[in-house]
Short mmCIF file of all heavy atoms in Angstrom, two decimals:
data_model
loop_
_atom_site.label_atom_id
_atom_site.label_comp_id
_atom_site.label_asym_id
_atom_site.label_seq_id
_atom_site.Cartn_x
_atom_site.Cartn_y
_atom_site.Cartn_z
N MET R 128 10.01 -62.48 -27.35
CA MET R 128 10.14 -61.68 -28.58
C MET R 128 9.43 -62.40 -29.72
O MET R 128 9.66 -63.58 -29.96
CB MET R 128 11.63 -61.50 -28.87
CG MET R 128 11.95 -60.68 -30.12
SD MET R 128 11.81 -58.91 -29.87
CE MET R 128 11.90 -58.37 -31.57
N GLY R 129 8.58 -61.69 -30.42
CA GLY R 129 7.84 -62.29 -31.52
C GLY R 129 8.59 -62.20 -32.83
O GLY R 129 9.81 -62.06 -32.86
N GLN R 130 7.85 -62.29 -33.89
CA GLN R 130 8.45 -62.22 -35.21
C GLN R 130 8.83 -60.79 -35.56
O GLN R 130 8.24 -59.84 -35.07
CB GLN R 130 7.45 -62.71 -36.24
CG GLN R 130 7.27 -64.21 -36.25
CD GLN R 130 6.32 -64.60 -37.36
OE1 GLN R 130 5.18 -64.18 -37.35
NE2 GLN R 130 6.80 -65.37 -38.30
N ALA R 131 9.83 -60.67 -36.41
CA ALA R 131 10.23 -59.35 -36.90
C ALA R 131 10.54 -59.45 -38.39
O ALA R 131 11.10 -60.45 -38.84
CB ALA R 131 11.45 -58.88 -36.13
N PRO R 132 10.17 -58.43 -39.15
CA PRO R 132 10.48 -58.46 -40.57
C PRO R 132 11.94 -58.13 -40.82
O PRO R 132 12.51 -57.25 -40.18
CB PRO R 132 9.56 -57.38 -41.15
CG PRO R 132 9.29 -56.46 -40.03
CD PRO R 132 9.42 -57.24 -38.75
N VAL R 133 12.53 -58.87 -41.73
CA VAL R 133 13.92 -58.67 -42.09
C VAL R 133 14.01 -58.60 -43.60
O VAL R 133 13.30 -59.32 -44.31
CB VAL R 133 14.79 -59.86 -41.59
CG1 VAL R 133 16.24 -59.71 -42.02
CG2 VAL R 133 14.71 -59.96 -40.07
N ILE R 134 14.85 -57.72 -44.10
CA ILE R 134 15.01 -57.58 -45.55
C ILE R 134 16.32 -58.23 -45.98
O ILE R 134 17.38 -57.97 -45.39
CB ILE R 134 15.01 -56.10 -45.96
CG1 ILE R 134 13.65 -55.48 -45.62
CG2 ILE R 134 15.30 -55.95 -47.46
CD1 ILE R 134 13.59 -53.98 -45.79
N ASP R 135 16.22 -59.08 -46.98
CA ASP R 135 17.43 -59.65 -47.57
C ASP R 135 17.96 -58.64 -48.58
O ASP R 135 17.50 -58.57 -49.72
CB ASP R 135 17.11 -60.98 -48.25
CG ASP R 135 18.35 -61.60 -48.88
OD1 ASP R 135 19.42 -60.95 -48.87
OD2 ASP R 135 18.24 -62.72 -49.39
N ILE R 136 18.92 -57.85 -48.11
CA ILE R 136 19.42 -56.73 -48.90
C ILE R 136 20.12 -57.18 -50.19
O ILE R 136 20.13 -56.47 -51.19
CB ILE R 136 20.36 -55.87 -48.00
CG1 ILE R 136 19.51 -55.05 -47.02
CG2 ILE R 136 21.25 -54.95 -48.81
CD1 ILE R 136 18.51 -54.10 -47.64
N SER R 137 20.61 -58.39 -50.18
CA SER R 137 21.30 -58.88 -51.38
C SER R 137 20.33 -59.07 -52.54
O SER R 137 20.73 -59.09 -53.70
CB SER R 137 22.05 -60.18 -51.09
OG SER R 137 21.12 -61.20 -50.76
N GLU R 138 19.03 -59.21 -52.21
CA GLU R 138 18.02 -59.39 -53.26
C GLU R 138 17.25 -58.11 -53.57
O GLU R 138 16.65 -57.97 -54.62
CB GLU R 138 17.01 -60.46 -52.83
CG GLU R 138 17.59 -61.85 -52.71
CD GLU R 138 18.00 -62.42 -54.06
OE1 GLU R 138 17.37 -62.08 -55.06
OE2 GLU R 138 18.98 -63.18 -54.10
N CYS R 139 17.25 -57.17 -52.62
CA CYS R 139 16.41 -55.97 -52.73
C CYS R 139 16.78 -55.13 -53.95
O CYS R 139 17.94 -54.91 -54.24
CB CYS R 139 16.59 -55.15 -51.45
SG CYS R 139 15.74 -53.57 -51.47
N SER R 140 15.73 -54.68 -54.66
CA SER R 140 15.95 -53.85 -55.86
C SER R 140 15.70 -52.36 -55.58
O SER R 140 15.69 -51.56 -56.50
CB SER R 140 15.05 -54.32 -56.99
OG SER R 140 13.69 -54.08 -56.64
N TYR R 141 15.43 -52.04 -54.30
CA TYR R 141 15.21 -50.64 -53.91
C TYR R 141 14.04 -50.00 -54.65
O TYR R 141 14.08 -48.83 -54.99
CB TYR R 141 16.50 -49.81 -54.09
CG TYR R 141 17.65 -50.40 -53.29
CD1 TYR R 141 18.54 -51.27 -53.88
CD2 TYR R 141 17.77 -50.10 -51.93
CE1 TYR R 141 19.56 -51.85 -53.14
CE2 TYR R 141 18.79 -50.66 -51.19
CZ TYR R 141 19.69 -51.54 -51.80
OH TYR R 141 20.69 -52.10 -51.08
N CYS R 142 13.02 -50.80 -54.89
CA CYS R 142 11.84 -50.27 -55.59
C CYS R 142 11.02 -49.37 -54.67
O CYS R 142 10.21 -48.60 -55.12
CB CYS R 142 10.98 -51.42 -56.09
SG CYS R 142 10.15 -52.30 -54.75
N GLU R 143 11.19 -49.53 -53.37
CA GLU R 143 10.53 -48.72 -52.34
C GLU R 143 9.04 -49.01 -52.17
O GLU R 143 8.33 -48.23 -51.54
CB GLU R 143 10.76 -47.21 -52.58
CG GLU R 143 12.23 -46.86 -52.45
CD GLU R 143 12.54 -45.40 -52.70
OE1 GLU R 143 11.64 -44.56 -52.52
OE2 GLU R 143 13.68 -45.09 -53.07
N SER R 144 8.55 -50.10 -52.74
CA SER R 144 7.15 -50.47 -52.52
C SER R 144 6.86 -50.67 -51.04
O SER R 144 5.83 -50.24 -50.53
CB SER R 144 6.81 -51.79 -53.22
OG SER R 144 7.00 -51.66 -54.59
N CYS R 145 7.77 -51.33 -50.36
CA CYS R 145 7.55 -51.61 -48.94
C CYS R 145 7.49 -50.31 -48.13
O CYS R 145 6.69 -50.18 -47.21
CB CYS R 145 8.63 -52.53 -48.40
SG CYS R 145 10.31 -51.92 -48.64
N VAL R 146 8.30 -49.34 -48.52
CA VAL R 146 8.32 -48.06 -47.82
C VAL R 146 6.99 -47.34 -48.02
O VAL R 146 6.44 -46.72 -47.10
CB VAL R 146 9.48 -47.19 -48.33
CG1 VAL R 146 9.54 -45.85 -47.60
CG2 VAL R 146 10.81 -47.92 -48.18
N GLU R 147 6.45 -47.45 -49.22
CA GLU R 147 5.17 -46.83 -49.51
C GLU R 147 4.02 -47.51 -48.78
O GLU R 147 3.14 -46.85 -48.25
CB GLU R 147 4.90 -46.93 -51.01
CG GLU R 147 4.95 -45.60 -51.72
CD GLU R 147 4.92 -45.77 -53.21
OE1 GLU R 147 3.88 -46.21 -53.71
OE2 GLU R 147 5.95 -45.50 -53.85
N LEU R 148 4.06 -48.84 -48.76
CA LEU R 148 2.96 -49.60 -48.18
C LEU R 148 2.98 -49.60 -46.66
O LEU R 148 1.96 -49.68 -46.02
CB LEU R 148 3.00 -51.04 -48.68
CG LEU R 148 2.54 -51.25 -50.11
CD1 LEU R 148 2.96 -52.63 -50.60
CD2 LEU R 148 1.05 -51.08 -50.22
N CYS R 149 4.15 -49.54 -46.10
CA CYS R 149 4.27 -49.72 -44.66
C CYS R 149 5.39 -48.83 -44.11
O CYS R 149 6.41 -49.30 -43.63
CB CYS R 149 4.55 -51.20 -44.38
SG CYS R 149 4.42 -51.64 -42.67
N PRO R 150 5.17 -47.51 -44.19
CA PRO R 150 6.25 -46.56 -43.82
C PRO R 150 6.60 -46.57 -42.33
O PRO R 150 7.66 -46.07 -41.97
CB PRO R 150 5.68 -45.20 -44.24
CG PRO R 150 4.22 -45.38 -44.32
CD PRO R 150 3.96 -46.82 -44.66
N THR R 151 5.72 -47.13 -41.50
CA THR R 151 6.08 -47.17 -40.08
C THR R 151 7.18 -48.20 -39.82
O THR R 151 7.86 -48.12 -38.81
CB THR R 151 4.86 -47.56 -39.21
OG1 THR R 151 4.24 -48.71 -39.77
CG2 THR R 151 3.86 -46.44 -39.13
N VAL R 152 7.34 -49.15 -40.72
CA VAL R 152 8.32 -50.21 -40.51
C VAL R 152 9.51 -50.10 -41.47
O VAL R 152 10.66 -50.20 -41.05
CB VAL R 152 7.66 -51.61 -40.66
CG1 VAL R 152 8.71 -52.71 -40.54
CG2 VAL R 152 6.57 -51.78 -39.61
N PHE R 153 9.22 -49.90 -42.74
CA PHE R 153 10.29 -49.91 -43.73
C PHE R 153 10.74 -48.49 -44.04
O PHE R 153 9.93 -47.62 -44.36
CB PHE R 153 9.83 -50.64 -45.00
CG PHE R 153 9.42 -52.05 -44.72
CD1 PHE R 153 8.08 -52.41 -44.68
CD2 PHE R 153 10.38 -53.02 -44.44
CE1 PHE R 153 7.70 -53.71 -44.40
CE2 PHE R 153 10.01 -54.32 -44.15
CZ PHE R 153 8.66 -54.67 -44.13
N LYS R 154 12.03 -48.28 -43.93
CA LYS R 154 12.59 -46.94 -44.12
C LYS R 154 13.85 -47.02 -44.96
O LYS R 154 14.53 -48.04 -44.99
CB LYS R 154 13.01 -46.33 -42.76
CG LYS R 154 11.97 -46.45 -41.69
CD LYS R 154 11.60 -45.10 -41.16
CE LYS R 154 10.62 -45.22 -40.00
NZ LYS R 154 9.44 -44.42 -40.14
N ILE R 155 14.14 -45.90 -45.60
CA ILE R 155 15.42 -45.81 -46.30
C ILE R 155 16.42 -45.19 -45.34
O ILE R 155 16.18 -44.12 -44.79
CB ILE R 155 15.30 -44.93 -47.56
CG1 ILE R 155 14.23 -45.50 -48.49
CG2 ILE R 155 16.65 -44.83 -48.27
CD1 ILE R 155 13.84 -44.56 -49.60
N ASN R 156 17.51 -45.86 -45.12
CA ASN R 156 18.57 -45.30 -44.28
C ASN R 156 19.22 -44.15 -45.03
O ASN R 156 19.79 -44.33 -46.10
CB ASN R 156 19.59 -46.39 -43.95
CG ASN R 156 20.66 -45.88 -43.01
OD1 ASN R 156 21.35 -44.90 -43.27
ND2 ASN R 156 20.82 -46.58 -41.91
N GLU R 157 19.11 -42.96 -44.46
CA GLU R 157 19.57 -41.76 -45.15
C GLU R 157 21.06 -41.79 -45.44
O GLU R 157 21.53 -41.25 -46.42
CB GLU R 157 19.26 -40.52 -44.29
CG GLU R 157 17.80 -40.43 -43.90
CD GLU R 157 17.04 -39.43 -44.74
OE1 GLU R 157 17.60 -38.37 -45.02
OE2 GLU R 157 15.89 -39.73 -45.12
N GLU R 158 21.81 -42.44 -44.56
CA GLU R 158 23.26 -42.45 -44.73
C GLU R 158 23.72 -43.48 -45.74
O GLU R 158 24.54 -43.22 -46.59
CB GLU R 158 23.94 -42.74 -43.38
CG GLU R 158 24.15 -41.48 -42.57
CD GLU R 158 24.54 -41.79 -41.15
OE1 GLU R 158 25.33 -42.73 -40.92
OE2 GLU R 158 24.03 -41.08 -40.25
N THR R 159 23.15 -44.69 -45.62
CA THR R 159 23.64 -45.78 -46.47
C THR R 159 22.79 -45.97 -47.71
O THR R 159 23.22 -46.61 -48.67
CB THR R 159 23.64 -47.10 -45.68
OG1 THR R 159 22.29 -47.36 -45.27
CG2 THR R 159 24.52 -47.04 -44.47
N GLY R 160 21.56 -45.45 -47.69
CA GLY R 160 20.67 -45.61 -48.83
C GLY R 160 19.99 -46.97 -48.90
O GLY R 160 19.23 -47.22 -49.81
N ILE R 161 20.26 -47.85 -47.93
CA ILE R 161 19.62 -49.16 -47.97
C ILE R 161 18.27 -49.13 -47.26
O ILE R 161 18.01 -48.28 -46.41
CB ILE R 161 20.51 -50.30 -47.40
CG1 ILE R 161 20.77 -50.08 -45.91
CG2 ILE R 161 21.79 -50.45 -48.19
CD1 ILE R 161 21.40 -51.27 -45.24
N ILE R 162 17.42 -50.09 -47.64
CA ILE R 162 16.11 -50.21 -47.03
C ILE R 162 16.25 -50.99 -45.73
O ILE R 162 16.90 -52.03 -45.69
CB ILE R 162 15.13 -50.96 -47.96
CG1 ILE R 162 15.13 -50.36 -49.37
CG2 ILE R 162 13.73 -51.03 -47.36
CD1 ILE R 162 14.31 -49.12 -49.56
N GLU R 163 15.63 -50.47 -44.68
CA GLU R 163 15.73 -51.14 -43.38
C GLU R 163 14.35 -51.35 -42.77
O GLU R 163 13.44 -50.57 -43.03
CB GLU R 163 16.51 -50.25 -42.40
CG GLU R 163 17.96 -50.10 -42.74
CD GLU R 163 18.68 -49.17 -41.77
OE1 GLU R 163 18.01 -48.35 -41.11
OE2 GLU R 163 19.90 -49.28 -41.69
N ALA R 164 14.23 -52.38 -41.98
CA ALA R 164 13.03 -52.59 -41.17
C ALA R 164 13.36 -52.13 -39.76
O ALA R 164 14.32 -52.61 -39.17
CB ALA R 164 12.63 -54.06 -41.19
N VAL R 165 12.59 -51.19 -39.23
CA VAL R 165 12.87 -50.68 -37.90
C VAL R 165 12.44 -51.71 -36.84
O VAL R 165 11.61 -52.57 -37.10
CB VAL R 165 12.17 -49.33 -37.62
CG1 VAL R 165 12.62 -48.27 -38.60
CG2 VAL R 165 10.67 -49.47 -37.61
N GLU R 166 13.04 -51.61 -35.66
CA GLU R 166 12.68 -52.50 -34.57
C GLU R 166 11.51 -51.92 -33.80
O GLU R 166 11.57 -50.80 -33.32
CB GLU R 166 13.88 -52.68 -33.63
CG GLU R 166 14.75 -53.85 -34.03
CD GLU R 166 15.87 -54.03 -33.03
OE1 GLU R 166 15.59 -54.12 -31.82
OE2 GLU R 166 17.03 -54.06 -33.47
N LEU R 167 10.47 -52.70 -33.70
CA LEU R 167 9.29 -52.28 -32.94
C LEU R 167 8.91 -53.41 -32.00
O LEU R 167 9.22 -54.57 -32.25
CB LEU R 167 8.11 -52.01 -33.89
CG LEU R 167 8.26 -50.90 -34.95
CD1 LEU R 167 7.07 -50.92 -35.89
CD2 LEU R 167 8.37 -49.54 -34.31
N SER R 168 8.21 -53.06 -30.92
CA SER R 168 7.75 -54.13 -30.03
C SER R 168 6.51 -54.79 -30.62
O SER R 168 6.19 -55.94 -30.34
CB SER R 168 7.48 -53.59 -28.63
OG SER R 168 6.64 -52.47 -28.70
N GLN R 169 5.79 -54.02 -31.44
CA GLN R 169 4.59 -54.55 -32.10
C GLN R 169 4.59 -54.10 -33.54
O GLN R 169 4.77 -52.91 -33.83
CB GLN R 169 3.35 -53.97 -31.41
CG GLN R 169 3.01 -54.69 -30.14
CD GLN R 169 1.71 -55.45 -30.27
OE1 GLN R 169 0.67 -54.89 -30.53
NE2 GLN R 169 1.80 -56.75 -30.12
N TYR R 170 4.40 -55.04 -34.44
CA TYR R 170 4.40 -54.70 -35.86
C TYR R 170 3.00 -54.71 -36.44
O TYR R 170 2.17 -55.53 -36.03
CB TYR R 170 5.26 -55.71 -36.63
CG TYR R 170 6.73 -55.58 -36.34
CD1 TYR R 170 7.36 -56.42 -35.44
CD2 TYR R 170 7.48 -54.60 -36.99
CE1 TYR R 170 8.71 -56.29 -35.16
CE2 TYR R 170 8.84 -54.46 -36.71
CZ TYR R 170 9.44 -55.31 -35.81
OH TYR R 170 10.77 -55.17 -35.54
N PRO R 171 2.73 -53.80 -37.38
CA PRO R 171 1.42 -53.82 -38.05
C PRO R 171 1.39 -54.97 -39.06
O PRO R 171 1.81 -54.82 -40.21
CB PRO R 171 1.37 -52.45 -38.74
CG PRO R 171 2.79 -52.07 -38.96
CD PRO R 171 3.59 -52.73 -37.87
N GLU R 172 0.92 -56.12 -38.59
CA GLU R 172 1.05 -57.35 -39.35
C GLU R 172 0.41 -57.29 -40.73
O GLU R 172 0.98 -57.75 -41.72
CB GLU R 172 0.45 -58.50 -38.54
CG GLU R 172 0.88 -59.85 -39.10
CD GLU R 172 0.55 -60.99 -38.16
OE1 GLU R 172 0.62 -60.79 -36.94
OE2 GLU R 172 0.22 -62.06 -38.67
N LYS R 173 -0.77 -56.68 -40.79
CA LYS R 173 -1.49 -56.64 -42.06
C LYS R 173 -0.69 -55.89 -43.12
O LYS R 173 -0.54 -56.34 -44.25
CB LYS R 173 -2.85 -55.97 -41.83
CG LYS R 173 -3.79 -56.10 -42.99
CD LYS R 173 -5.22 -55.70 -42.60
CE LYS R 173 -5.97 -55.28 -43.84
NZ LYS R 173 -6.12 -53.81 -43.92
N GLU R 174 -0.17 -54.75 -42.72
CA GLU R 174 0.61 -53.94 -43.67
C GLU R 174 1.90 -54.63 -44.08
O GLU R 174 2.34 -54.54 -45.22
CB GLU R 174 0.93 -52.57 -43.07
CG GLU R 174 -0.23 -51.60 -43.21
CD GLU R 174 -0.33 -50.66 -42.03
OE1 GLU R 174 0.66 -50.00 -41.70
OE2 GLU R 174 -1.42 -50.59 -41.43
N ILE R 175 2.50 -55.31 -43.12
CA ILE R 175 3.74 -56.02 -43.45
C ILE R 175 3.46 -57.16 -44.42
O ILE R 175 4.18 -57.36 -45.38
CB ILE R 175 4.43 -56.53 -42.17
CG1 ILE R 175 4.98 -55.32 -41.42
CG2 ILE R 175 5.56 -57.50 -42.51
CD1 ILE R 175 5.58 -55.62 -40.08
N ARG R 176 2.35 -57.87 -44.17
CA ARG R 176 2.00 -58.95 -45.10
C ARG R 176 1.75 -58.39 -46.50
O ARG R 176 2.09 -59.01 -47.50
CB ARG R 176 0.76 -59.70 -44.61
CG ARG R 176 1.04 -60.44 -43.34
CD ARG R 176 0.24 -61.72 -43.15
NE ARG R 176 0.62 -62.33 -41.89
CZ ARG R 176 1.68 -63.08 -41.70
NH1 ARG R 176 2.49 -63.34 -42.72
NH2 ARG R 176 1.97 -63.57 -40.53
N GLU R 177 1.15 -57.23 -46.56
CA GLU R 177 0.92 -56.59 -47.85
C GLU R 177 2.25 -56.23 -48.52
O GLU R 177 2.45 -56.47 -49.71
CB GLU R 177 0.11 -55.31 -47.62
CG GLU R 177 -0.88 -55.02 -48.72
CD GLU R 177 -1.76 -53.84 -48.35
OE1 GLU R 177 -2.35 -53.88 -47.25
OE2 GLU R 177 -1.82 -52.90 -49.14
N ALA R 178 3.15 -55.67 -47.75
CA ALA R 178 4.47 -55.33 -48.29
C ALA R 178 5.19 -56.59 -48.76
O ALA R 178 5.79 -56.60 -49.85
CB ALA R 178 5.30 -54.61 -47.22
N ILE R 179 5.07 -57.67 -47.99
CA ILE R 179 5.71 -58.93 -48.38
C ILE R 179 5.14 -59.41 -49.70
O ILE R 179 5.88 -59.80 -50.61
CB ILE R 179 5.52 -60.00 -47.27
CG1 ILE R 179 6.39 -59.66 -46.07
CG2 ILE R 179 5.87 -61.40 -47.81
CD1 ILE R 179 6.18 -60.54 -44.85
N SER R 180 3.82 -59.35 -49.84
CA SER R 180 3.22 -59.89 -51.06
C SER R 180 3.48 -58.98 -52.26
O SER R 180 3.41 -59.43 -53.40
CB SER R 180 1.73 -60.16 -50.86
OG SER R 180 1.04 -58.96 -50.68
N CYS R 181 3.78 -57.71 -52.01
CA CYS R 181 4.04 -56.79 -53.12
C CYS R 181 5.53 -56.66 -53.46
O CYS R 181 5.88 -56.09 -54.49
CB CYS R 181 3.48 -55.41 -52.81
SG CYS R 181 1.70 -55.38 -52.81
N CYS R 182 6.38 -57.18 -52.61
CA CYS R 182 7.81 -57.07 -52.87
C CYS R 182 8.18 -57.87 -54.13
O CYS R 182 8.00 -59.08 -54.16
CB CYS R 182 8.60 -57.57 -51.66
SG CYS R 182 10.38 -57.64 -51.97
N PRO R 183 8.66 -57.20 -55.17
CA PRO R 183 8.94 -57.90 -56.42
C PRO R 183 10.08 -58.90 -56.30
O PRO R 183 10.23 -59.78 -57.15
CB PRO R 183 9.29 -56.76 -57.39
CG PRO R 183 9.78 -55.66 -56.52
CD PRO R 183 9.02 -55.77 -55.24
N LYS R 184 10.88 -58.77 -55.28
CA LYS R 184 12.03 -59.65 -55.11
C LYS R 184 11.82 -60.71 -54.04
O LYS R 184 12.72 -61.50 -53.75
CB LYS R 184 13.26 -58.81 -54.74
CG LYS R 184 13.70 -57.87 -55.85
CD LYS R 184 14.17 -58.68 -57.03
CE LYS R 184 14.84 -57.80 -58.06
NZ LYS R 184 15.35 -58.60 -59.17
N ASP R 185 10.65 -60.71 -53.43
CA ASP R 185 10.38 -61.66 -52.33
C ASP R 185 11.49 -61.65 -51.30
O ASP R 185 11.91 -62.72 -50.83
CB ASP R 185 10.20 -63.09 -52.88
CG ASP R 185 8.84 -63.26 -53.54
OD1 ASP R 185 7.90 -62.53 -53.15
OD2 ASP R 185 8.73 -64.08 -54.45
N CYS R 186 11.98 -60.49 -50.97
CA CYS R 186 13.12 -60.46 -50.06
C CYS R 186 12.79 -59.91 -48.68
O CYS R 186 13.67 -59.60 -47.90
CB CYS R 186 14.27 -59.70 -50.69
SG CYS R 186 13.92 -57.99 -51.08
N ILE R 187 11.47 -59.82 -48.37
CA ILE R 187 11.09 -59.48 -47.00
C ILE R 187 10.66 -60.77 -46.32
O ILE R 187 9.83 -61.50 -46.83
CB ILE R 187 9.94 -58.46 -46.95
CG1 ILE R 187 10.27 -57.21 -47.77
CG2 ILE R 187 9.63 -58.08 -45.51
CD1 ILE R 187 9.11 -56.26 -47.97
N ILE R 188 11.27 -61.04 -45.18
CA ILE R 188 11.02 -62.31 -44.48
C ILE R 188 10.58 -62.00 -43.05
O ILE R 188 11.12 -61.10 -42.41
CB ILE R 188 12.34 -63.13 -44.40
CG1 ILE R 188 13.09 -63.09 -45.73
CG2 ILE R 188 12.06 -64.58 -44.00
CD1 ILE R 188 14.57 -62.87 -45.53
N TRP R 189 9.59 -62.73 -42.59
CA TRP R 189 9.26 -62.70 -41.15
C TRP R 189 10.24 -63.64 -40.46
O TRP R 189 10.28 -64.83 -40.77
CB TRP R 189 7.86 -63.25 -40.90
CG TRP R 189 6.73 -62.30 -40.96
CD1 TRP R 189 5.71 -62.32 -41.85
CD2 TRP R 189 6.41 -61.25 -40.03
NE1 TRP R 189 4.82 -61.33 -41.55
CE2 TRP R 189 5.21 -60.67 -40.44
CE3 TRP R 189 7.03 -60.74 -38.88
CZ2 TRP R 189 4.62 -59.59 -39.77
CZ3 TRP R 189 6.45 -59.68 -38.22
CH2 TRP R 189 5.26 -59.12 -38.65
N GLU R 190 10.99 -63.11 -39.52
CA GLU R 190 11.99 -63.94 -38.86
C GLU R 190 11.66 -64.12 -37.40
O GLU R 190 11.05 -63.24 -36.79
CB GLU R 190 13.36 -63.30 -39.01
CG GLU R 190 14.44 -64.30 -39.35
CD GLU R 190 15.74 -63.60 -39.66
OE1 GLU R 190 16.26 -62.90 -38.77
OE2 GLU R 190 16.24 -63.76 -40.77
N GLY R 191 12.10 -65.21 -36.84
CA GLY R 191 11.88 -65.45 -35.42
C GLY R 191 10.49 -65.98 -35.14
O GLY R 191 9.93 -66.73 -35.93
N GLY R 192 9.92 -65.54 -34.05
CA GLY R 192 8.61 -66.03 -33.68
C GLY R 192 8.70 -67.14 -32.66
O GLY R 192 9.77 -67.46 -32.15
N GLY R 193 7.60 -67.76 -32.38
CA GLY R 193 7.57 -68.83 -31.38
C GLY R 193 7.10 -68.31 -30.06
O GLY R 193 6.68 -67.20 -29.93
S1 LIG U 243 9.62 -54.03 -51.72
FE1 LIG U 243 11.27 -55.55 -51.65
S2 LIG U 243 12.61 -55.05 -53.37
FE2 LIG U 243 11.30 -53.28 -53.03
S3 LIG U 243 12.50 -51.96 -51.66
FE3 LIG U 243 11.20 -53.22 -50.37
S4 LIG U 243 12.46 -54.99 -49.82
FE4 LIG U 243 13.42 -54.00 -51.60
#
């Protein structure tokens, strides 16, 4: 299993930049209203890096890897 993006919800301001930049990965949970990163076997790394660099709260983290 490679790296996966994780959102630190305690820091997230719900600006939705990540959802706009990378809608295949970042979604708003319709029930809870929180931003989530979906589980994929392969992530679009370039778009995720863009979302990470645009996140005003720096709360998107690449986790795992190795
Ligand atoms: S870009 Fe960052 S602060 Fe904005 S919704 Fe996404 S995770 Fe939250």
Side-chain angles (χ1 to χ4, degrees):
M128 180 79 191
Q130 285 183 299
V133 177
I134 297 172
D135 179 356
I136 285 301
S137 64
E138 294 292 329
C139 175
S140 66
Y141 302 95
C142 71
E143 296 179 25
S144 299
C145 56
V146 181
E147 249 170 68
L148 285 165
C149 191
T151 49
V152 176
F153 301 105
K154 313 238 184 231
I155 302 167
N156 184 305
E157 306 258 320
E158 274 168 39
T159 60
I161 65 169
I162 309 280
E163 292 178 338
V165 300
E166 269 183 53
L167 299 173
S168 51
Q169 280 247 300
Y170 290 99
E172 195 168 325
K173 191 167 156 256
E174 278 146 54
I175 290 175
R176 293 211 180 278
E177 216 173 306
I179 288 173
S180 66
C181 290
C182 173
K184 294 294 190 178
D185 284 333
C186 61
I187 306 170
I188 317 136
W189 271 116
E190 223 173 60

